[in-house]
Amino acid sequence: MTGRAVAGWPDDSQADRTGPQADHTERARATADVSPDAVDVSIVIPVHNCQPYLDRCLTAALVQRVKKEIVVVDDGSTDGGGELLDLYASYHRGIVKVVHLEHSGFPGRPRNVGLEHATGRYVFFCDADDYLGEEALERMVAVADRNGSDIVLGRVAGHGRRAPVSMFQRNAERVTLADSMVYNSLSCWKLFRRDMLERHGIRFGEDQRVGEDLLFTVHAYCHAETISVVADYDCYHLVARPDGSSIMQQPGSRDPLAWLSMIRKPIELMAAHVAPGPLRDHLLRRHFRLDVFAQLGGPFLAADGVRRKEITAEVAALCDQWLTPGVRERLTSADRQRLAALADIDRLVRLAQIEAAALRRRLTGLRWEGDKLVVSGTASLAGMADHDGVTLVLRARNEHGRELVVPAQRDGESFTARLEPGELASGVWDVLVAVELEGVQRLGRLGADREAELRCPSPRLVGEVVALPYFTRTGGNLSLDVGGHVLSVPGSARITRARWAFGHRLALDGQVTVTGAAPAASAVRQLVWRERSTGHERVERVVGLPGGGFAARPAVGRLTPGTWDAYIELQLGGPPARFRIETAARTVAERRRWWHGPALRSVRPYATSGKGRLSTVVRAMTPRVILRRIFR
């Protein structure tokens, strides 16, 4: 290796880092015993002529609230970036460490050099034109330490570049390659346990201009015992350079023939570690969908006749070698069409044209028709004279692969579909429109383009479930919240009569409405008293009545001293919906006092000022306190 270290490089940077293999429980336990001086994360940043982006990247790395070292490998920069890195190292000794190399021409070498110099328990690879979210490593290290994770994926936010989404539907403490979509993400912008990388000799390819991280990440996945996902925070910000100078933005960076040749190594590496069967088929599906058949789309259209034949031949060769019946079953309709047309170049061109055509869709109407949500709009493929059909697809946001297809009535480009929320499982459902032409289905979210005056209809009770249509904050697309998972359920509860009953119980009769309608009696679950200062709660039985009525006899005499606020809790198909109970001052029962052993208890129900909500002040006074008040 040609290079020099700057800013206090530790003497044991090349020490043996291998260790005994342990399961995730042992590794999670071991993290509790790490030395307070141990480096949590080595942030490895390869740099080549990225000077305009270094300040943002390094600042974001420096503010990470973990014990860290920032290993920056300057791969022969000529734009002044190397000098700027030395300046950072001089100001942040012991944290920012720089290695200067002669220009290698490929990104794999500087990443490998950075890994050779890393000393942290974990390694995170960050490109110099991208940057970390402020809490990224803190959150990722926490989940890794908690679970003994070998790899942690953090949600990626794209800025002018497409970011992966399928694997970030929800946080996951532990997932496997078989039961998740993590293998869809083969970039190296992840947290890796360094001991695992060293133990298995996992390194980047050094002779590849693109795709070197696929080989590295595939190898890491094959040896990871525990994989975790942080999906509720933007951990990594993927940035497109305005001048288009990054490798992945340059023309030819995704040359289809070069890509098809490159992808053989990751596939062969994965197959060497994963036996034939459902898991291998699941992983191969990713490669065929995103790496192989993708070359028959836009890149195929851009190629000339000779290149199209060469691309088709390479795709066919990969299919002959790796496309098993299990993979075939997992293909999309469009990829099945391509597979069937490998001997027909003209058909492949037509399929690519359909795939490349812009999907035009517009939401023109949205209304309730009884318990059905009627969705109207227009949908077509630009440049295509007609299409074969339109459907709406309701896709469960947090359950990958779960969806419901709703047929639509069609009149030219216009369509109307009737959704039945009562058929949907509890959760958030995103609405997409699907246009089909010649066996190819094109899908897109619906709602961002809509009539200016169009508004979402009010939430509605459908049977015992509440359905809340809404437009998403980001993108403005149509979604349906079944059960009140992300939206507050509109409702109210009001006391119609209150009086004292035997046993210092406060007898309450009331009425509850949800979305302006009376819920089923079975939906009324319980009465909840919540102490205002401590948050302590006491649950009381409540009886639901026909027409939205309820009756309760809470034992307020058993409440501890404090101020207690009253809520009614309903089950409407999702998380419990809780409404503050309202009351009029004239309805509230008068204060009651009684001796309970040596203490005088006082319970005073009252209506709060403003909205008039039911609360109760509870006090307990001993004789000493009473005498002190009398004689002070």
Side-chain angles (χ1 to χ4, degrees):
M1 178 181 69
T2 303
R4 59 184 175 86
V6 179
W9 200 263
D11 294 336
D12 59 348
S13 61
Q14 300 299 320
D16 177 26
R17 304 181 185 94
T18 60
Q21 187 166 359
D23 63 24
H24 64 78
T25 303
E26 292 171 342
R27 280 179 278 133
R29 187 183 303 117
T31 59
D33 300 323
V34 297
S35 165
D37 297 325
V39 173
D40 290 323
V41 184
S42 298
I43 307 170
V44 175
I45 306 174
V47 173
H48 176 68
N49 290 346
C50 298
Q51 195 271 343
Y53 310 98
L54 289 177
D55 282 325
R56 180 178 62 192
C57 179
L58 291 173
T59 300
L62 284 165
V63 300
Q64 298 299 308
R65 291 190 291 268
V66 294
K67 183 75 173 177
K68 59 188 173 291
E69 64 180 8
I70 303 171
V71 184
V72 191
V73 182
D74 173 27
D75 191 33
S77 295
T78 58
D79 65 346
E83 291 76 12
L84 179 60
L85 293 175
D86 289 342
L87 185 62
Y88 266 92
S90 66
Y91 276 95
H92 301 280
R93 293 186 179 278
I95 298 179
V96 177
K97 304 168 184 179
V98 181
V99 176
H100 295 279
L101 301 178
E102 295 178 1
H103 183 45
S104 66
F106 301 103
R109 172 129 180 90
R111 285 189 178 130
N112 283 340
V113 170
L115 183 54
E116 291 295 328
H117 288 85
T119 64
R121 297 187 293 126
Y122 303 101
V123 180
F124 190 97
F125 297 96
C126 179
D127 287 350
D129 43 6
D130 301 330
Y131 61 97
L132 288 160
E134 185 175 336
E135 301 175 17
L137 296 186
E138 180 181 13
R139 291 172 179 248
M140 297 174 83
V141 168
V143 72
D145 284 350
R146 194 161 59 242
N147 296 285
S149 309
D150 291 310
I151 303 176
V152 180
L153 289 75
R155 190 174 72 193
V156 180
H159 304 275
R161 294 178 64 183
R162 290 187 60 182
V165 296
S166 63
M167 65 294 305
F168 296 119
Q169 300 302 310
R170 65 171 74 88
N171 287 342
E173 296 290 304
R174 298 188 185 116
V175 298
T176 68
L177 296 179
D179 64 11
S180 72
M181 302 304 293
V182 296
Y183 194 76
N184 276 359
S185 173
L186 295 183
S187 66
C188 64
W189 315 308
K190 299 170 177 64
L191 190 75
F192 296 92
R193 184 176 294 274
R194 188 170 63 84
D195 175 70
M196 176 196 67
L197 301 179
E198 297 297 339
R199 195 182 330 126
H200 299 287
I202 299 171
R203 291 295 186 270
F204 294 88
E206 296 193 358
D207 58 351
Q208 299 170 244
R209 184 169 176 80
V210 293
E212 81 293 338
D213 52 344
L214 274 70
L215 192 67
F216 177 91
T217 308
V218 165
H219 198 180
Y221 275 140
C222 289
H223 290 288
E225 296 178 20
T226 302
I227 304 169
S228 303
V229 179
V230 175
D232 59 353
Y233 182 77
D234 289 338
C235 294
Y236 192 80
H237 293 264
L238 184 64
V239 182
R241 297 190 195 180
D243 60 2
S245 59
S246 72
I247 290 177
M248 292 306 297
Q249 291 177 265
Q250 292 176 16
S253 64
R254 290 295 293 264
D255 175 77
L257 289 173
W259 193 267
L260 290 168
S261 175
M262 177 278 298
I263 203 60
R264 289 180 177 275
K265 288 183 179 180
I267 292 176
E268 291 168 356
L269 178 63
M270 179 275 291
H273 289 83
V274 180
L279 175 57
R280 183 193 279 190
D281 290 340
H282 172 65
L283 304 182
L284 281 171
R285 172 188 176 272
R286 181 259 183 240
H287 288 297
F288 275 100
R289 185 170 66 89
L290 300 180
D291 298 318
V292 179
F293 289 125
Q295 309 312 316
L296 297 176
F300 196 72
L301 283 180
D304 59 26
V306 174
R307 294 273 288 175
R308 286 173 180 172
K309 291 181 180 179
E310 293 173 340
I311 294 169
T312 304
E314 285 295 318
V315 171
L318 284 164
C319 290
D320 289 342
Q321 185 175 5
W322 297 109
L323 189 68
T324 66
V327 176
R328 187 187 297 267
E329 291 174 1
R330 292 167 167 81
L331 295 179
T332 64
S333 60
D335 287 339
R336 288 196 189 100
Q337 291 283 328
R338 291 189 175 106
L339 182 61
L342 285 179
D344 187 346
I345 298 295
D346 291 339
R347 176 61 177 158
L348 289 174
V349 170
R350 174 62 175 171
L351 293 172
Q353 289 171 338
I354 295 173
E355 184 187 54
L359 174 60
R360 300 183 303 199
R361 66 272 193 199
R362 183 175 178 82
L363 183 64
T364 59
L366 197 58
R367 70 183 191 279
W368 286 108
E369 192 176 272
D371 287 345
K372 296 182 179 180
L373 183 63
V374 181
V375 181
S376 302
T378 60
S380 63
L381 294 176
M384 302 292 162
D386 198 3
H387 51 78
D388 299 331
V390 176
T391 56
L392 288 192
V393 178
L394 278 71
R395 186 169 289 172
R397 183 176 298 176
N398 294 321
E399 293 185 57
H400 184 80
R402 186 171 190 175
E403 59 183 35
L404 177 69
V405 178
V406 181
Q409 296 176 328
R410 178 181 160 216
D411 183 9
E413 292 188 0
S414 300
F415 69 86
T416 300
R418 287 167 170 80
L419 314 183
E420 298 191 42
E423 295 182 354
L424 299 174
S426 177
V428 179
W429 295 80
D430 297 323
V431 181
L432 300 89
V433 64
V435 174
E436 185 169 333
L437 178 60
E438 299 181 25
V440 178
Q441 188 182 70
R442 297 290 309 284
L443 276 163
R445 288 298 306 275
L446 181 66
D449 183 11
R450 58 181 182 268
E451 300 289 343
E453 69 279 3
L454 189 63
R455 298 290 182 270
C456 252
S458 301
R460 176 160 294 199
L461 273 177
V462 180
E464 297 186 2
V465 174
V466 63
L468 303 96
Y470 73 100
F471 294 120
T472 60
R473 184 175 302 174
T474 302
N477 291 302
L478 177 63
S479 293
L480 188 60
D481 184 353
V482 179
H485 293 262
V486 297
L487 299 180
S488 297
V489 178
S492 64
R494 188 167 187 83
I495 296 299
T496 57
R497 185 184 179 202
R499 62 210 178 276
W500 287 104
F502 178 76
H504 307 301
R505 292 178 175 271
L506 187 60
L508 301 173
D509 298 324
Q511 189 77 24
V512 61
T513 62
V514 177
T515 70
S522 59
V524 182
R525 290 188 60 203
Q526 58 193 20
L527 180 73
V528 179
W529 290 98
R530 181 181 177 85
E531 207 287 312
R532 193 174 295 174
S533 60
T534 64
H536 178 71
E537 293 186 349
R538 180 181 175 86
V539 175
E540 300 275 3
R541 181 172 175 269
V542 64
V543 176
L545 303 172
F550 67 87
R553 303 293 185 269
V556 293
R558 298 178 184 175
L559 297 177
T560 57
T563 301
W564 297 79
D565 300 323
Y567 298 84
I568 195 80
E569 200 168 85
L570 280 73
Q571 178 55 253
L572 299 168
R578 183 177 287 191
F579 307 119
R580 191 77 160 82
I581 297 178
E582 302 173 3
T583 185
R586 65 179 182 276
T587 307
V588 178
E590 63 185 13
R591 180 168 60 179
R592 173 166 286 196
R593 294 176 177 172
W594 68 93
W595 287 97
H596 181 72
L600 178 64
R601 293 185 66 83
S602 169
V603 178
R604 181 176 65 87
Y606 72 99
T608 63
S609 59
K611 294 186 177 181
R613 292 168 169 171
L614 177 64
S615 296
T616 299
V617 175
V618 179
R619 291 193 175 94
M621 294 183 289
T622 64
R624 178 180 297 179
V625 173
I626 295 172
L627 291 172
R628 186 182 299 134
R629 289 194 175 188
I630 293 173
F631 294 109
R632 66 179 177 184

